[in-house]
């Protein structure tokens, strides 16, 4: 409970400011939309994939429930949707089952707004090794959700994890967020999926 209260007071003002920009700058139709939290927000997707019209709708600190609540300003006739979210839910103490239930609601909401559009569910990347078992359990749930909802599951774990189940040291400065080498490794995993577009 304390984690949720701290989240509310520390991150909500910055989340609201970014959402207010999204509401004034609606997502252009026909783009590949990247939805997620700080990991997505930090990606310079338009530069990693200059040949693809990408739109970054990531917000630092976002949870699955918060993302679902802001879909109206994020999903506007996209050509594809890439989702990476859940690490903040995990960090706030939610179980894999609880997060999976939230993800099912999110997928359903995306499908309602963009029926028939390719949907890509990305695994939650590794964090510090102490989270490894919980992240793996969550990713197993995500794989099942992708299969059930005719989405493509993208497993980022092999490209980003070290032998202890943590995020590779050369990819991060804090055990959670990515630097250039980490985004480069992530982009290489995504590239074949974007080439099919």
């Amino acid at each position: 409970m304390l984690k949720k209260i701290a989240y509310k007071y520390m991150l909500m003002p910055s989340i609201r400011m970014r959402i207010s920009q999204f509401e004034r700058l609606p997502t252009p139709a026909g783009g590949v939309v990247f939805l997620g939290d700080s990991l997505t927000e930090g990606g310079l997707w338009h530069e990693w994939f200059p040949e693809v019209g990408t739109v970054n709708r990531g917000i630092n600190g976002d949870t699955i429930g918060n993302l679902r609540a802001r879909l109206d300003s994020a999903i506007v006739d996209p050509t594809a949707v890439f989702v990476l979210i859940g690490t903040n839910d995990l960090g706030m103490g939610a179980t894999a089952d609880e997060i999976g239930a939230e993800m099912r609601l999110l997928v359903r909401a995306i499908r309602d707004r963009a029926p028939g559009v390719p949907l890509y569910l990305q695994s939650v990347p590794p964090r510090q090794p102490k989270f490894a078992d919980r992240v793996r359990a969550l990713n197993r749930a995500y794989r099942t959700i992708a299969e059930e909802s005719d989405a493509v599951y993208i497993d980022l774990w092999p490209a980003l994890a070290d032998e202890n189940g943590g995020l590779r040291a050369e990819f991060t400065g804090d055990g959670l967020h990515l630097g250039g080498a980490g985004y480069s490794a992530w982009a290489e995993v995504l590239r074949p999926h974007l080439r099919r577009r």
Side-chain angles (χ1 to χ4, degrees):
M1 183 58 138
L2 288 176
K3 288 181 181 179
K4 289 184 179 180
I5 292 170
Y7 168 85
K8 179 178 178 183
Y9 289 103
M10 289 177 17
L11 294 175
M12 284 308 291
S14 64
I15 290 171
R16 280 195 299 270
M17 287 187 288
R18 191 154 168 92
I19 289 172
S20 70
Q21 288 187 72
F22 292 162
E23 289 169 346
R24 290 184 178 266
L25 298 167
T27 303
V32 173
V33 178
F34 284 79
L35 295 174
D37 50 35
S38 59
L39 297 171
T40 298
E41 180 182 348
L44 301 175
W45 306 115
H46 62 288
E47 295 187 51
W48 288 110
F49 306 109
E51 70 284 4
V52 179
T54 61
V55 181
N56 188 334
R57 288 297 182 258
I59 294 184
N60 179 34
D62 230 355
T63 62
I64 297 172
N66 287 346
L67 175 55
R68 193 172 71 250
R70 64 182 176 87
L71 284 182
D72 285 341
S73 66
I75 304 290
V76 180
D77 194 23
T79 58
V81 178
F82 285 76
V83 178
L84 191 151
I85 189 108
T87 198
N88 293 318
D89 301 77
L90 199 66
M92 289 168 37
T95 67
D97 287 343
E98 292 167 336
I99 299 169
E102 284 289 310
M103 180 58 84
R104 281 186 171 85
L105 293 174
L106 175 63
V107 167
R108 191 174 310 137
I110 293 170
R111 288 293 193 212
D112 287 346
R113 285 167 176 77
V117 168
L119 175 59
Y120 298 86
L121 296 185
Q122 300 170 80
S123 66
V124 171
R127 304 173 50 141
Q128 299 91 348
K130 67 180 181 180
F131 287 95
D133 289 342
R134 293 177 63 207
V135 174
R136 285 187 184 108
L138 179 57
N139 287 335
R140 284 192 296 272
Y142 280 14
R143 183 184 297 273
T144 299
I145 292 165
E147 291 168 358
E148 293 170 351
S149 58
D150 194 30
V152 175
Y153 176 76
I154 300 175
D155 188 2
L156 302 176
W157 193 272
L160 301 178
D162 66 19
E163 64 279 358
N164 298 314
L167 185 56
R168 292 184 188 183
E170 65 271 24
F171 291 169
T172 186
D174 63 3
L176 175 62
H177 296 95
L178 299 172
Y183 278 106
S184 180
W186 182 1
E188 287 310 303
V189 176
L190 297 184
R191 198 169 302 282
H193 302 282
L194 286 158
R195 279 198 194 111
R196 292 185 197 132
R197 309 262 1 99

